[in-house]
Amino acid sequence: MSNLGQFDSDFYQSNYTIDNQDQSSEDSNAYGNLYGSRQQQASEQPQAAFVPQEMLMSSGYEGQFFQPASNPDYYSQSSYIDSFDEEPPLLEELGINFNHIWQKTLTVLNPLKPADGSIMNETDLTGPILFCVTLGATLLLAGKVQFGYVYGMSAIGCLGIHTLLNLMSSSGASYGCVASVLGYCLLPMVILSSCSIFFSLQGTFGTVLALVIVGWCSLSASKIFISALNMEGQQLLIAYPCALLYGLFALLTVF
């Protein structure tokens, strides 16, 4: 039994004393007081209430937000109005004016009619291309495939007449204007090639008719050139090289 009592005293023996117990209780009380004081301070602080955004802006911010002013007259006074209704027609954008084409055609068909220089000085290739294709088509119907000769002689002839006119005229002429005038004046040659479809031109009548057509074309071309380039008194000088050019087309048509 003495051994059992000694074992109990040894088992329950500890270094923890009453003084330590008092010290730990004081520490826990101090921690509780500190935690309670923090909670009290937090409860004493007023909580932020919900304030509308308008009150915050009116009370805290005195400036103004940048708002771009809309000018209703800006778009109406703009130089460019992107509107489909006010766009020019497609033919006008392409430079195709049927009224001017018709006036040029009438001027060629009537060699005695005065030419309008403002219209004739335009670079209009719609009529010349049409007449060149028509000339080639009528030659084809007459059994002559001469499209290459028609286009080749037209290009070389326009280049030669353009060089000559720039040497004779003080104002000068553009290549497009020369090509336009010479192309429109091919219209009488189309009439000659159309006649070759129905009867042969290799004879006296055909030769006389070809000479008349060549004089018609050269007279119309020279009249238009002196009107567009202000070359008064030089019509015969311009008509001679034009007659040589249209004479090549006449030979191509007759033979």
Side-chain angles (χ1 to χ4, degrees):
M1 294 297 290
S2 63
N3 293 331
L4 182 59
Q6 185 178 359
F7 175 76
D8 293 336
S9 62
D10 293 337
F11 180 80
Y12 292 105
Q13 186 176 3
S14 174
N15 294 326
Y16 184 76
T17 58
I18 297 177
D19 297 335
N20 293 333
Q21 184 177 4
D22 296 336
Q23 185 177 0
S24 61
S25 63
E26 292 177 359
D27 295 337
S28 63
N29 293 331
Y31 177 75
N33 294 332
L34 180 61
Y35 181 73
S37 62
R38 289 182 178 178
Q39 285 186 343
Q40 183 177 2
Q41 292 178 1
S43 62
E44 290 177 358
Q45 293 179 357
Q47 297 181 355
F50 174 77
V51 181
Q53 189 69 21
E54 293 79 3
M55 295 180 62
L56 291 176
M57 293 175 59
S58 60
S59 61
Y61 182 71
E62 297 295 336
Q64 295 180 355
F65 288 103
F66 175 74
Q67 295 180 355
S70 59
N71 188 3
D73 298 333
Y74 174 75
Y75 295 100
S76 61
Q77 297 177 358
S78 178
S79 60
Y80 176 78
I81 302 175
D82 190 8
S83 177
F84 180 78
D85 296 334
E86 298 185 4
E87 289 184 358
L90 180 60
L91 294 178
E92 184 177 349
E93 291 183 354
L94 296 177
I96 300 175
N97 193 332
F98 289 105
N99 186 22
H100 289 181
I101 293 175
W102 178 246
Q103 291 182 10
K104 292 177 182 179
T105 304
L106 292 179
T107 303
V108 172
L109 291 177
N110 186 7
L112 302 179
K113 178 183 178 181
D116 189 359
S118 61
I119 297 178
M120 296 302 171
N121 204 13
E122 296 178 353
T123 305
D124 176 24
L125 298 179
T126 305
I129 293 175
L130 179 61
F131 294 153
C132 284
V133 173
T134 306
L135 178 61
T138 52
L139 290 176
L140 181 62
L141 293 176
K144 302 174 184 178
V145 185
Q146 306 290 354
F147 284 98
Y149 288 102
V150 171
Y151 297 147
M153 288 191 301
S154 299
I156 297 175
C158 291
L159 184 61
I161 300 297
H162 173 258
T163 304
L164 181 63
L165 290 177
N166 284 331
L167 293 175
M168 296 176 62
S169 174
S170 59
S171 59
S174 63
Y175 185 81
C177 176
V178 174
S180 177
V181 173
L182 294 179
Y184 273 104
C185 293
L186 271 178
L187 181 57
M189 197 62 61
V190 174
I191 299 175
L192 180 64
S193 63
S194 299
C195 294
S196 66
I197 300 175
F198 304 101
F199 54 88
S200 177
L201 298 177
Q202 296 180 5
T204 305
F205 177 75
T207 303
V208 174
L209 182 59
L211 292 177
V212 172
I213 293 297
V214 169
W216 187 358
C217 294
S218 60
L219 182 62
S220 298
S222 60
K223 176 191 66 175
I224 295 174
F225 279 132
I226 63 172
S227 176
L229 301 177
N230 296 323
M231 300 174 61
E232 298 295 336
Q234 303 183 26
Q235 184 173 0
L236 294 179
L237 295 176
I238 300 174
Y240 175 70
C242 292
L244 294 178
L245 176 61
Y246 291 115
L248 295 177
F249 287 103
L251 291 175
L252 191 66
T253 304
V254 173
F255 300 100

